Amino acid sequence: MKPANRIMKRVLRDGTAAIAAMIIGGASLGYAQESVSVRATLLTGGVPVDDPSAAVWSSAPPATFPMSPQVHWQNRIQEVTVKDISVRALHDGTQVAVLVEYSDPTQDPDDAAALEFMVGDKKAHFAHGQPMLQVEGGPVNIWFWKNKTGKAIDMSAKGFGTLKPQEHQDVTAKGVYSNGTWKVVFSRKLLTGHADEDVQITAGQFMSISFAVWDGRKDAVGELVEKGSQKAVSSWWYFRADAPPDYSGYMYAAIAAALGLGFQFVLIRKLKKGQ
Amino acid sequence: MGALGKPIILMVAMYAFLKFGLPNIPGSAPLPSSLIFLYLLLTAGGIFMFETVSGESKDAFWGPIQRFLTGENIGGLQALRYGVFILFPLLVGWQTYGSTAVSDLPPTESRTIHPAPPGEYTGLSNPVPKTPDNIMQGKGFYAAYCSPCHGGNFDGKGPAARGFIPAPANFADPTTIAMLQESYLFWRIKKGGVGLPIEGAPWKSAMPRWEVELPDEWIWKIILGEYDGAHQSPRTWE
């Protein structure tokens, strides 16, 4: 009995350690990944809709995404200035603000940036919702900012050549340039009354977002290098506005643990009674 | 206690095999945790049936468990017994929390990398003869239209490739054009990302729809150039 006891002890101890190690290993795997989504942090009080430098931005975790030259359709471009952008977002349950940051060596009047969202439930191609041959796609909603005008245009597109400003302009934007870095904040209400052309942002839900940036520099003969479809683009990534904190998970866990405890008591009492 | 040792070792070994062993077998992939759980459940069921098949083995199996749970004459294992009693409700609570908590991870995406082509693009043969001249022309077109993303070395590492998800295909990789027919490449080049079926997630691919810009003959030549440049040959059915 004694040696068996000892073996048993060792097996149980090593087994527990191994299982714990696997659980910890598995859990950490889930978090070790590059940015795939922008998380809009929930805050109380107003969001800094026209202040890209507000201190409260530091409470939103930055997500970094790689940018590529637009090569999908004509006119293409092979090289672009902006290689990465950093994105933060905040919301207060009514208003959402998205801060885009990227380095650009020079400030030019034609510097511009844009956010793109899928509208509704249908998937849309990241290039302006270009029609897909085997899948029925949806439209995209584009929030476009240009340094020269200093404001945003709320636009819709469903395919090339269909990009146009909307009748209802719901988006504001403000850009601040300093030390070789653009900080542009886009803002809008989470929900607008126009679900067929505007993205509707529901807290807690993942939606698709992509980015575009134009460096408004000119070449030796005074022509814009990046303009129109010649721009830096990103693939689709995810965007989610944080839902209000939900503590019900802890309550369910406590109830389950209490039930587990109760089950143990009953079981052992029955066993001791010789059932 | 001896009767319990083997089942426990078996369960741990089974878990280790499913979690760490199986994914390393060539051609295999990591199992989802739900499947591992199911397999472990089946293993446990099998052990249970085996151990309770006769009255004698049933006693040998249950006896130690009962003694452990009631704490009769288990000596040094007493501390472990209390540990189990504390851990069990915590584990139940933790599992419940995990299954009710809202995930912070975005929806999982499953993309079929080489989805089936439409019928009219199966079994076409390259009408352009495989001559050194045509291969050279194809490589020229490749350099002009394809290499910015797919790379001058046919490795998917062109200067414009960075940032595109899915990444441009690496033709030198034996799991890309080497396992496809020329007909398939013709379809993918002609129709581009937007020509993919839904399982190919066509809304994400940056591959241009080259039929708009290039004549078919050029596309066939590009295919010759790609295979030659990447040192691969098209898949055949014999």
Side-chain angles (χ1 to χ4, degrees):
Chain A
M1 206 61 181
K2 264 273 161 270
N5 224 344
R6 218 172 300 138
I7 291 168
M8 187 68 206
K9 246 186 200 170
R10 196 183 310 150
V11 165
L12 279 173
R13 190 187 54 214
D14 294 354
T16 314
I19 289 167
M22 288 166 193
I23 289 168
I24 292 163
S28 64
L29 264 180
Y31 296 100
Q33 57 176 355
E34 48 180 359
S35 297
V36 291
S37 87
V38 179
R39 181 183 149 205
T41 307
L42 178 65
L43 50 84
T44 46
V47 292
V49 295
D50 54 5
D51 187 1
S53 311
V56 68
W57 282 114
S58 61
S59 68
T64 306
F65 303 108
M67 303 296 285
S68 321
Q70 193 291 114
V71 293
H72 180 62
W73 79 100
Q74 298 169 299
N75 296 318
R76 300 190 172 84
I77 187 166
Q78 305 286 350
E79 206 187 339
V80 285
T81 304
V82 176
K83 305 281 193 276
D84 290 284
I85 58 164
S86 169
V87 185
R88 297 172 194 258
L90 294 166
H91 82 106
D92 62 2
T94 321
Q95 195 87 19
V96 63
V98 181
L99 174 68
V100 169
E101 283 176 71
Y102 56 91
S103 36
D104 176 352
T106 55
Q107 182 186 358
D108 309 290
D110 288 290
D111 285 344
L115 311 182
E116 179 183 66
F117 298 91
M118 288 187 197
V119 177
D121 295 333
K122 286 204 182 98
K123 298 280 189 187
H125 193 269
F126 79 93
H128 284 199
Q130 183 199 173
M132 293 171 279
L133 305 176
Q134 299 194 50
V135 181
E136 197 198 341
V140 292
N141 181 198
I142 292 171
W143 303 0
F144 176 79
W145 163 88
K146 198 171 210 175
N147 182 26
K148 201 156 56 181
T149 59
K151 59 173 191 170
I153 312 175
D154 190 4
M155 299 203 270
S156 289
K158 196 178 175 182
F160 304 135
T162 64
L163 181 68
K164 60 174 192 305
Q166 294 180 6
E167 227 168 85
H168 309 274
Q169 290 294 312
D170 307 302
V171 181
T172 62
K174 171 147 177 130
V176 170
Y177 184 84
S178 95
N179 297 325
T181 299
W182 268 115
K183 288 186 179 186
V184 185
V185 56
F186 294 85
S187 180
R188 206 200 69 181
K189 286 202 159 67
L190 291 169
L191 304 172
T192 70
H194 320 105
D196 51 336
E197 55 183 16
D198 286 332
V199 59
Q200 304 298 311
I201 299 169
T202 310
Q205 263 180 27
F206 281 100
M207 46 199 63
S208 297
I209 188 171
S210 69
F211 310 93
V213 172
W214 295 257
D215 172 12
R217 77 194 162 92
K218 290 178 174 167
D219 62 14
V221 293
E223 292 285 329
L224 284 172
V225 178
E226 298 182 21
K227 60 178 185 297
S229 64
Q230 294 167 311
K231 59 186 169 183
V233 293
S234 83
S235 190
W236 282 122
W237 299 99
Y238 285 103
F239 177 90
R240 184 174 70 159
D242 277 357
D246 176 5
Y247 301 111
S248 61
Y250 295 107
M251 189 186 70
Y252 293 135
I255 292 172
L259 285 173
L261 200 65
F263 169 75
Q264 275 179 180
F265 271 113
V266 173
L267 181 75
I268 288 154
R269 264 188 69 178
K270 290 224 164 195
L271 285 175
K272 282 200 168 169
K273 274 187 189 165
Q275 294 277 317
Chain B
M1 280 287 171
L4 267 189
K6 263 191 247 168
I8 289 175
I9 292 169
L10 192 62
M11 289 294 285
V12 171
M14 189 68 180
Y15 177 81
F17 170 70
L18 292 171
K19 181 82 185 174
F20 306 107
L22 201 66
N24 290 323
I25 295 172
S28 184
L31 293 183
S33 56
S34 56
L35 196 60
I36 292 180
F37 181 73
L38 185 75
Y39 285 156
L40 288 181
L41 216 62
L42 289 171
T43 310
I47 292 170
F48 183 77
M49 274 196 278
F50 178 76
E51 296 288 358
T52 56
V53 76
S54 75
E56 202 178 308
S57 64
K58 193 173 139 192
D59 287 345
F61 182 68
W62 281 120
I65 296 181
Q66 256 182 45
R67 273 201 302 284
F68 179 73
L69 288 176
T70 53
E72 285 160 31
N73 308 323
I74 57 167
L77 283 177
Q78 198 60 254
L80 187 74
R81 177 175 171 256
Y82 287 123
V84 168
F85 289 166
I86 294 168
L87 263 177
F88 176 70
L90 287 178
L91 206 68
V92 171
W94 184 59
Q95 279 292 332
T96 309
Y97 178 77
S99 61
T100 56
V102 181
S103 167
D104 260 345
L105 299 174
T108 47
E109 291 177 9
S110 57
R111 181 177 71 94
T112 304
I113 297 171
H114 301 305
E120 64 266 36
Y121 290 100
T122 50
L124 301 178
S125 49
N126 198 331
V128 176
K130 197 175 160 188
T131 62
D133 242 20
N134 287 334
I135 290 173
M136 205 175 70
Q137 268 189 46
K139 281 186 179 170
F141 293 140
Y142 176 90
Y145 300 106
C146 318
S147 73
C149 293
H150 292 283
N153 298 323
F154 303 85
D155 56 2
K157 295 195 178 113
R162 184 181 170 272
F164 284 123
I165 312 280
N170 170 0
F171 301 137
D173 180 329
T175 67
T176 63
I177 58 174
M179 53 179 273
L180 299 168
Q181 293 182 286
E182 288 182 280
S183 188
Y184 193 95
L185 269 68
F186 184 64
W187 168 56
R188 295 289 288 114
I189 297 171
K190 216 166 141 76
K191 300 291 177 185
V194 292
L196 290 166
I198 192 154
E199 67 269 23
W203 48 89
K204 288 192 132 181
S205 169
M207 175 76 182
R209 186 181 171 184
W210 286 111
E211 67 177 347
V212 181
E213 298 169 58
L214 306 182
D216 284 0
E217 194 202 327
W218 291 20
I219 295 177
W220 286 118
K221 283 180 178 170
I222 287 171
I223 293 170
L224 291 180
E226 268 174 18
Y227 278 110
D228 191 82
H231 308 293
Q232 306 285 353
S233 357
R235 180 175 184 168
T236 51
W237 290 119
E238 61 262 12

